[in-house]
Amino acid sequence: MNDSLDKREAANRLKAQTAHLSVISNTGLVILKFVVGFAIGSVSIISEAIHSSMDLLAAVIAFFSVKKSAEPPDAGHSFGHGKFEDISGLVEALLIFVAAIVIIIEAGLKLLSGTEQEFSPTLLYAGIAVMGISVLANWYVSTRLMKVAKETESIALECDAWHLRTDIYTSLGVFAGLILIHFTGLTILDPLIAIAVGLVILNAAWSLLKRSFADLIDHSIPKQDEDRIIAIICDHASEYAGFHGLRTRRSGPEIFIEFHLVVPGEVSVTQSHDLADHLESDLCVEYPRANVTIHIEPCTRGCTRCGSFCTVSEKKGSGEK
């Protein structure tokens, strides 16, 4: 149990450090993009600055949510604070929607105005450089975020990582567009690229929204994980009569697993308790953030409550039928 607590504490520290890195990176990129975007008058760069501003706000939310979710259960939150990460993911997804709509509206207005704009070659080079820096910085930070998110099962960090990955794609689009403007002089490409950026962001926001909302309404964990949980329980099939009523849900990085374990009627309370502890320990090896609840039930010969998992007839032997 101490090893499990140590792993949780290490994971919480790693999550906080990685979220802090995202805040620092996004702050620098927002400043650079706004300064260069307004200097050039490029709506595509300004749209990227707005996008990065949403990323920065999302990174700040993720930073505080992972710190809050790491707090142990208390009198008001007996199941822990994991839902703070789910709420963070939902808020971040909504912020991305807002950013995308603002970008599309601004670019559309510029297209409708029909005004041509001259870009200074020197400032255009600065814009290209800023977009290149943005791609490299976000690639490094998003890769780091995604790695830690998978290791710690953090929806907040995963949402933050996806924010930055969409920023990579959109920054690459703006980067390519600015180069085309430099060689062709077609400044109409600037708002067109901004609209494309907005559409990409909308798609990413929808995916994140669905994921965050599923966790908030206590959706079951993925089927492959439930199948793995069943396999772990079945590794001890010779020690019990069967099990049923498996239920799972996620709360931020925490996983909740509940099921009924059916044991032969002659098994003592102590033996049943030891078996439940052993199963819980095995499940926590595979899922360190799991909270396991096992309800023990007695089973007598001829029991039909265990469904397809009941092996009592095999244990008792065909001669007792």
Side-chain angles (χ1 to χ4, degrees), residues 14-83:
L14 181 60
K15 285 160 58 177
Q17 291 168 359
T18 309
H20 189 240
L21 171 65
S22 180
V23 171
I24 294 173
S25 172
N26 277 295
T27 300
L29 290 176
V30 167
I31 294 171
L32 275 175
K33 289 178 181 179
F34 269 124
V35 169
V36 175
F38 281 114
I40 299 175
S42 168
V43 69
S44 62
I45 296 179
I46 294 173
S47 70
E48 265 298 286
I50 295 172
H51 185 191
S52 292
S53 297
M54 295 299 103
D55 287 343
L56 175 58
L57 184 54
V60 172
I61 292 171
F63 176 71
F64 285 106
S65 72
V66 296
K67 291 189 68 175
K68 186 66 178 178
S69 69
E71 294 180 7
D74 54 34
H77 303 86
S78 55
F79 287 96
H81 300 80
K83 289 291 185 186

Side-chain angles (χ1 to χ4, degrees), residues 299-306 310 312-314 316 320-321:
C299 183
T300 59
R301 184 164 61 90
C303 171
T304 59
R305 296 174 61 196
C306 308
C310 188
V312 68
S313 61
E314 297 175 8
K316 296 295 183 180
E320 296 185 27
K321 292 182 179 179

Side-chain angles (χ1 to χ4, degrees), residues 24-319:
I24 294 173
S25 172
N26 277 295
T27 300
L29 290 176
V30 167
I31 294 171
L32 275 175
K33 289 178 181 179
F34 269 124
V35 169
V36 175
F38 281 114
I40 299 175
S42 168
V43 69
S44 62
I45 296 179
I46 294 173
S47 70
E48 265 298 286
I50 295 172
H51 185 191
S52 292
S53 297
M54 295 299 103
D55 287 343
L56 175 58
L57 184 54
V60 172
I61 292 171
F63 176 71
F64 285 106
S65 72
V66 296
K67 291 189 68 175
K68 186 66 178 178
S69 69
E71 294 180 7
D74 54 34
H77 303 86
S78 55
F79 287 96
H81 300 80
K83 289 291 185 186
F84 279 91
E85 287 204 32
D86 297 321
I87 295 171
S88 167
L90 184 66
V91 172
E92 290 175 41
L94 292 174
L95 286 174
I96 297 178
F97 265 119
V98 172
I101 291 169
V102 169
I103 289 169
I104 291 171
I105 290 174
E106 289 298 319
L109 290 174
K110 187 164 185 178
L111 271 178
L112 292 174
S113 69
T115 56
E116 290 289 330
Q117 183 174 355
E118 291 294 328
F119 291 148
S120 163
T122 301
L123 290 176
L124 195 59
Y125 291 143
I128 292 170
V130 167
M131 288 300 103
I133 292 170
S134 176
V135 170
L136 294 175
N138 284 331
W139 176 81
Y140 172 76
V141 177
S142 67
T143 300
R144 177 69 177 165
L145 281 168
M146 189 62 75
K147 181 176 182 293
V148 174
K150 296 299 183 183
E151 289 176 357
T152 61
E153 300 185 58
S154 170
I155 180 65
L157 290 186
E158 185 174 344
C159 284
D160 200 10
W162 279 113
H163 289 178
L164 297 185
R165 286 194 176 181
T166 60
D167 209 339
I168 291 172
Y169 303 139
T170 54
S171 293
L172 279 172
V174 174
F175 180 82
L178 291 175
I179 291 176
L180 285 174
I181 290 171
H182 172 69
F183 285 109
T184 66
L186 297 174
T187 56
I188 195 174
L189 290 173
D190 186 52
L192 289 176
I193 292 167
I195 291 174
V197 167
L199 293 175
V200 170
I201 298 171
L202 277 177
N203 182 62
W206 176 244
S207 298
L208 292 173
L209 189 63
K210 289 192 295 182
R211 167 77 186 278
S212 302
F213 189 71
D215 286 347
L216 280 172
I217 61 174
D218 287 340
H219 192 277
S220 298
I221 64 175
K223 186 177 184 303
Q224 60 266 29
D225 287 318
E226 287 200 341
D227 289 342
R228 180 58 189 147
I229 290 169
I230 291 173
I232 293 171
I233 299 172
C234 287
D235 285 341
H236 302 275
S238 62
E239 302 173 55
Y240 60 81
F243 73 96
H244 63 93
L246 175 64
R247 298 192 303 174
T248 63
R249 66 182 177 91
R250 180 180 292 280
S251 176
E254 307 287 336
I255 292 177
F256 290 85
I257 304 169
E258 302 176 14
F259 60 92
H260 293 243
L261 186 69
V262 186
V263 299
E266 64 272 16
V267 173
S268 69
V269 173
T270 300
Q271 290 173 313
S272 299
H273 181 268
D274 290 344
L275 174 57
D277 277 351
H278 189 58
L279 281 170
E280 180 179 351
S281 178
D282 284 359
L283 287 167
C284 286
V285 168
E286 188 88 8
Y287 300 97
R289 303 301 294 260
N291 297 267
V292 184
T293 302
I294 303 173
H295 177 72
I296 301 293
E297 293 181 3
C299 183
T300 59
R301 184 164 61 90
C303 171
T304 59
R305 296 174 61 196
C306 308
S308 60
F309 296 110
C310 188
T311 57
V312 68
S313 61
E314 297 175 8
K315 297 179 191 298
K316 296 295 183 180
S318 57

